[in-house]
Amino acid sequence: MSRDGRLAGLSTLVTGGGSGLGRAIVNRFVAEGATVTVLERSADKIAGLVGEHGDRVRGVQGDVTSARDNAEAVSTAVAAFGGLDTFVGNAGLWDFGRELLAMSPPELERGFDELFGVNVKGYLLGARAAADAVVDRRGSMIFTLSNASLYPRGGGVLYTASKRAGAGLVSQLAYELAPHVRVNGVAPGGMATDLRGPRSMALGDTAIADVLGGGESLSRYSALDFAPSAEDYVDSYVLLAARGESRTVTGAVFDISSVGTPRRPDL
Ligand code: NAD
């Protein structure tokens, strides 16, 4: 654990930091010298985080769709670590590629509310709760987007629409919070994680790792011909959170998915 890394002295807040990409961000941020507060709905995952990182991490059990839980996470970060430099909106749900015509209208209604509640409302409520503290520190906000923010086939219509909404949120918040706060998005591609779907679509008990299978199925989407892990995606978050490393960057979406370039047919 380094206290003089690229994020030394920064207080950060990560939603959905209990597993997958969020957990990889927490681990790396702590290794780079940051303190991290995590808003996460799973008590078990929070216990694992605090067990590993001790007093460098605070866990708040709650739901990103609740304004009160977001506010509690921010006040926990401020009380424990003296302020908040970086807000990372990351908790999300996937729709397992469910196509429009495969959903009944009632399922579409319920699925929309639940998935957009986490992927879009959750990001907005997090930004709203964190804004004053992050403005005070002249800090930054980073939102986890997806290859689905840019291309079709990264999910079904609900997920793709929600992640494109995330890109819109980045663009508009970069404008609204300028010049005090930089706001950016990071768009990773597929990874085998615990990512779940809406319970209202009976997709709450399956993880994306269960359906993606091993590396082979993931690497076939990437021009770089490998199956990334969550850890492979975290460098952009460090770059965007670090003081002085990306001073001109706001309103950007870093496409780190490697799926936008077609795969060579001979691979
Ligand atoms: P994950 O399920 O491992 O991590 C998400 C975490 O968020 C979990 O710990 C979960 O408990 C938590 N969470 C879910 N809903 C919550 C809520 N309402 N309130 C609080 N916590 C909640 O999945 P992941 O793959 O690491 O996903 C992280 C982000 O990465 C998501 O925004 C996802 O859309 C994005 N993403 C994932 C992939 C992929 O293939 N896995 C690809 C591109 C983008």
Side-chain angles (χ1 to χ4, degrees), residues 211-247:
V211 299
L212 282 180
E216 201 187 314
S217 80
L218 268 177
S219 62
R220 81 169 178 262
Y221 298 107
S222 166
L224 299 176
D225 194 29
F226 84 114
S229 65
E231 289 72 21
D232 289 315
Y233 291 118
V234 300
D235 295 292
S236 296
Y237 293 84
V238 176
L239 179 76
L240 290 168
R243 292 262 179 226
E245 292 194 26
S246 53
R247 289 185 64 197

Side-chain angles (χ1 to χ4, degrees), residues 15-23 39-42 45 60 62-66 89-94 117-119 123 144-148 154 159 162-163 186-196 207-209 212 218 230 233 237:
T15 70
S19 70
L21 180 58
R23 177 68 188 256
L39 174 58
E40 163 65 58
R41 71 178 173 191
S42 160
K45 290 178 181 179
V60 175
D63 196 309
V64 296
T65 65
S66 153
N90 171 78
L93 295 178
W94 195 45
V118 177
N119 292 9
Y123 279 7
T144 297
L145 304 178
S146 165
N147 52 302
Y159 184 74
S162 78
K163 288 296 181 180
V186 176
M191 62 199 124
T193 65
D194 195 33
L195 186 62
R196 305 292 172 113
I208 193 172
L212 282 180
L218 268 177
Y233 291 118
Y237 293 84

